[in-house]
Amino acid sequence: MATAEHHQRVDAIFSTMNLAEERDYGRFLRAQAAAHIPVERALDGGGVASVLADWPERRRVHLLLDDLAAMGLAEPAAEERPEFVGEAAILGAVYVLEGSRLGGALLKRSVSPSLPATFLGAGNSLAWRRLLDLLAVRLRSDGEIQIAIKAACEVFMLFERSGRRCLGMN
């Protein structure tokens, strides 16, 4: 897959944390928020609702902010807000967020039951399958596929920068 290298780097950063420990989990949520929030807002600004009819159900910023608040943590400074212009770029960015939703369901198993995990528990494999079907239909040309890949890589790089910053790896 064209985004595999980026995905592996993000996984390597976040796998250094023990999500069963409150401190690490809080850092994880803050790193997620610093990247997820600007991406979701950029998608809103780019017109994602006209591309995905079920976008309101896919949004997770509110869950992330609720989990942070439940832990007494403030919303972190956001990474630079990307810009997604056109359907292909929007779909590429959504691909990463939806993939992280599936990964979150696996990560939730590591989180202590005493910690809030609504953000990680918002998995929906049916929504993932619908997205994959939509990508197959809507990304028809090589140019559209390349635009989607570029946007997906940008999102992965945003999560990588956020993870490094929140974990003090810079």
Side-chain angles (χ1 to χ4, degrees):
M1 169 118 238
T3 60
E5 182 181 326
H6 292 288
H7 192 177
Q8 288 169 355
R9 286 200 310 260
V10 170
D11 282 350
I13 290 167
F14 289 104
S15 69
T16 65
M17 291 182 272
N18 179 353
L19 300 185
E21 293 181 8
E22 185 174 350
R23 180 177 181 271
D24 274 3
Y25 183 59
R27 289 177 10 179
F28 169 82
L29 286 178
R30 288 179 53 80
Q32 290 292 307
H36 190 102
I37 291 170
V39 170
E40 198 169 290
R41 289 180 179 158
L43 285 166
D44 285 335
V48 67
S50 66
V51 176
L52 293 171
D54 64 348
W55 175 244
E57 294 82 40
R58 292 178 184 267
R59 298 184 90 238
R60 293 189 296 154
V61 164
H62 63 288
L63 301 174
L64 189 47
L65 292 174
D66 287 350
D67 286 351
L68 285 169
M71 292 185 70
L73 299 172
E75 180 179 333
E79 291 292 322
E80 184 177 325
R81 182 174 157 171
E83 185 176 347
F84 304 112
V85 178
E87 183 177 67
I90 288 169
L91 290 171
V94 170
Y95 172 83
V96 177
L97 293 186
E98 287 298 308
S100 78
R101 178 191 303 266
L102 289 181
L106 296 174
L107 291 176
K108 184 177 179 184
R109 297 176 190 164
S110 302
V111 177
S112 170
S114 65
L115 297 172
T118 55
F119 173 69
L120 292 178
N124 183 341
S125 61
L126 181 58
W128 174 250
R129 289 186 190 283
R130 284 195 315 263
L131 177 64
L132 293 180
D133 290 344
L134 185 66
L135 292 172
V137 170
R138 299 266 180 94
L139 301 178
R140 294 174 294 274
S141 72
D142 287 343
E144 290 169 328
I145 292 168
Q146 290 309 310
I147 290 168
I149 290 169
K150 181 178 183 241
C153 289
E154 287 175 26
V155 173
F156 276 120
M157 288 187 290
L158 193 74
F159 276 92
E160 182 180 357
R161 285 192 305 274
S162 176
R164 288 186 180 284
R165 182 172 52 86
C166 289
L167 297 175
M169 299 171 106
N170 286 337

